[in-house]
Amino acid sequence: MASDDMRREMILTLHESAGIGWQTIRKIVEYGRWDSYQRFTANAWMTSIGMRQEQANTVVKAFEALDIERRSEQFYKRKINVITRFDAAYPELLSEIPQPPWVLYVIGDMDLLNRPSIAIVGTRAPTAYGRKTASELAKGLSERGIAVVSGLARGIDGIAHEGALRGGGGTIAVLGSPVDMIYPAENRSLYHDIAARGVLVSETPLGSPLHPGLFPLRNRIIAGLSLGTVVVEAAQRSGSLITADLALEMSREVFAVPGPLSSPKSAGTNRLISKSGAKLITSVADILEEYSWLSAQGLINSEWGSEPSPILTADEERIYQILLDQPCSTDELHELSSMPFGLLHAVLINLTIKRKIEQHRGSIYSVT
């Protein structure tokens, strides 16, 4: 086996050994001896480079039980590709962060990992305003050839992935769970869509139990893969603010969508703008003006997604603005707008045709 392949298998084995963390692998990498698996069945040299005895014993047991062929077959059956920190396919942007993952497990189009990308994150319980904004930003970025990165969580994350898939430019879902685990279960259909038309990524070894500590680690990968991070609706203590803080620490751009001062779900984004220097944005153009070099170098298509939005009549705009606040039934819209039922139905049909709203069961309408 070539030395590079041997190093790759050794790092993967270390990464999958319980109790062996990022810093311990760093010590072994800096030691730099990848000439023989047998080296890892003796622990004296490991303790000499600063590993604890119990860690050295764990590594010895892992290498004594190592079955590379069986492990490779497991990955093949599950359509999982494995990328280590030293592989050519490793995302360049991710390699620049303070503690880049030693291993990435990948399902889907690996080429997306080196495409210009922007993260979109936010609350798990967005308003209609947040849903619409996240969807339009993701679709617009995707139409221009920018991959949209998010965490496949409920709310803004899932909406961002869906918008990106509609735009055709691809999306990257970074999971806190193992890459073959669907979490949350309600995103099962979206998970399979991303596997087919985007890419799923995780640094968590297969079979690992789900626990809260995995999600901040996931957030650093979301920020690390992205040129910048967009926050759409975040409460004061939202987990998406962790991603924004990590992006700032990585010297990446952070963008925030402003919201009503009275909305708790916009408290975090408004604070990012006022206190952390995040750029206030209202459109894809506001984001792209920070990356004019992408167009100059031909890395994105600045013409995609330039179709004008359909023009709304005064009555259509009135109903549309009501639905931006929250989904409503026909009766609720009638009460809020004082519009005659006949006119209201005509307006709803026109807004649906123009793809500004959509109808749900029970004659409930929401913005698309």
Side-chain angles (χ1 to χ4, degrees):
M1 181 180 289
S3 59
D4 286 351
D5 292 334
M6 188 173 293
R7 178 177 63 182
R8 184 176 186 276
E9 296 295 341
M10 289 179 178
I11 288 177
L12 181 54
T13 303
L14 292 167
H15 177 73
E16 294 184 340
S17 299
I20 305 301
W22 194 94
Q23 293 292 354
T24 301
I25 296 177
R26 177 190 60 78
K27 293 175 183 177
I28 296 174
V29 167
E30 290 177 352
Y31 180 70
R33 300 291 294 273
W34 309 104
D35 54 322
S36 170
Y37 293 121
Q38 279 67 43
R39 180 175 301 281
F40 287 88
T41 59
N43 60 24
W45 68 269
M46 287 186 259
T47 55
S48 74
I49 63 171
M51 291 174 62
R52 298 193 306 273
Q53 186 64 56
E54 57 268 30
Q55 290 178 312
N57 293 341
T58 295
V59 171
V60 168
K61 290 178 181 178
F63 276 88
E64 286 177 342
L66 179 59
D67 187 337
I68 293 175
E69 185 174 340
R70 183 170 176 270
R71 181 167 64 190
S72 298
E73 183 179 352
Q74 181 185 37
F75 291 143
Y76 177 78
K77 286 181 177 179
R78 301 184 188 190
K79 299 181 179 179
I80 297 171
N81 289 297
V82 177
I83 305 172
T84 74
R85 176 68 183 79
F86 297 99
D87 294 336
Y90 195 90
E92 183 177 352
L93 270 181
L94 192 59
S95 69
E96 298 173 359
I97 73 173
Q99 290 191 5
W102 292 110
V103 175
L104 295 173
Y105 303 88
V106 181
I107 296 176
D109 184 2
M110 290 200 301
D111 290 341
L112 285 174
L113 297 176
N114 280 295
R115 180 180 293 182
S117 57
I118 296 290
I120 298 180
V121 296
T123 178
R124 286 172 167 76
T127 64
Y129 166 74
R131 289 194 297 270
K132 176 179 170 55
T133 301
S135 179
E136 289 189 347
L137 289 175
K139 183 172 181 287
L141 289 167
S142 180
E143 285 175 333
R144 289 159 174 81
I146 294 176
V148 173
V149 185
S150 201
L152 198 62
R154 297 180 181 92
I156 294 297
D157 284 25
I159 292 164
H161 290 306
E162 290 169 350
L165 290 174
R166 287 202 303 275
T171 189
I172 302 169
V174 184
L175 311 184
S177 61
V179 75
D180 62 339
M181 178 188 294
I182 301 174
Y183 180 83
E186 66 200 56
N187 280 342
R188 177 175 298 276
S189 177
L190 180 56
Y191 174 98
H192 290 299
D193 283 346
I194 296 172
R197 297 190 286 145
V199 64
L200 301 154
V201 184
S202 177
E203 71 171 327
T204 306
L206 304 189
S208 299
L210 200 61
H211 63 86
L214 294 173
F215 293 96
L217 294 175
R218 173 203 63 179
N219 292 347
R220 92 185 193 287
I221 299 177
I222 292 174
L225 283 169
S226 309
L227 292 167
T229 295
V230 178
V231 185
V232 181
E233 285 197 325
Q236 199 68 262
R237 297 190 179 186
S238 171
S240 57
L241 298 181
I242 297 174
T243 308
D245 288 341
L246 289 167
L248 289 169
E249 291 172 9
M250 296 172 189
S251 299
R252 309 284 171 85
E253 296 290 341
V254 173
F255 308 92
V257 176
L261 297 180
S262 59
S263 173
K265 292 178 182 177
S266 290
T269 49
N270 292 341
R271 184 174 178 80
L272 276 176
I273 295 166
S274 63
K275 301 295 185 181
S276 300
K279 179 179 178 179
L280 183 156
I281 62 163
T282 59
S283 68
V284 170
D286 293 334
I287 300 170
L288 293 184
E289 69 181 10
E290 298 297 321
Y291 306 106
S292 57
W293 54 272
L294 289 174
S295 295
Q297 295 180 17
L299 296 175
I300 62 170
N301 188 341
S302 59
E303 298 300 320
W304 290 4
S306 58
E307 298 176 6
S309 298
I311 298 173
L312 304 184
T313 66
D315 288 331
E316 290 167 357
E317 182 66 32
R318 187 175 169 194
I319 296 300
Y320 182 72
Q321 289 299 323
I322 293 173
L323 290 173
L324 274 178
D325 290 331
Q326 61 183 9
C328 292
S329 67
T330 306
D331 289 340
E332 289 170 330
L333 288 170
H334 171 67
E335 183 177 346
L336 290 169
S337 67
S338 301
M339 193 176 288
F341 270 111
L343 176 58
L344 176 59
H345 284 139
V347 168
L348 291 172
I349 290 171
N350 288 339
L351 286 171
T352 303
I353 291 172
K354 292 177 180 180
R355 298 184 180 181
K356 301 297 288 185
I357 67 171
E358 57 188 358
Q359 183 179 2
H360 307 279
R361 290 180 181 178
S363 293
I364 302 296
Y365 291 86
S366 69
V367 296
T368 56

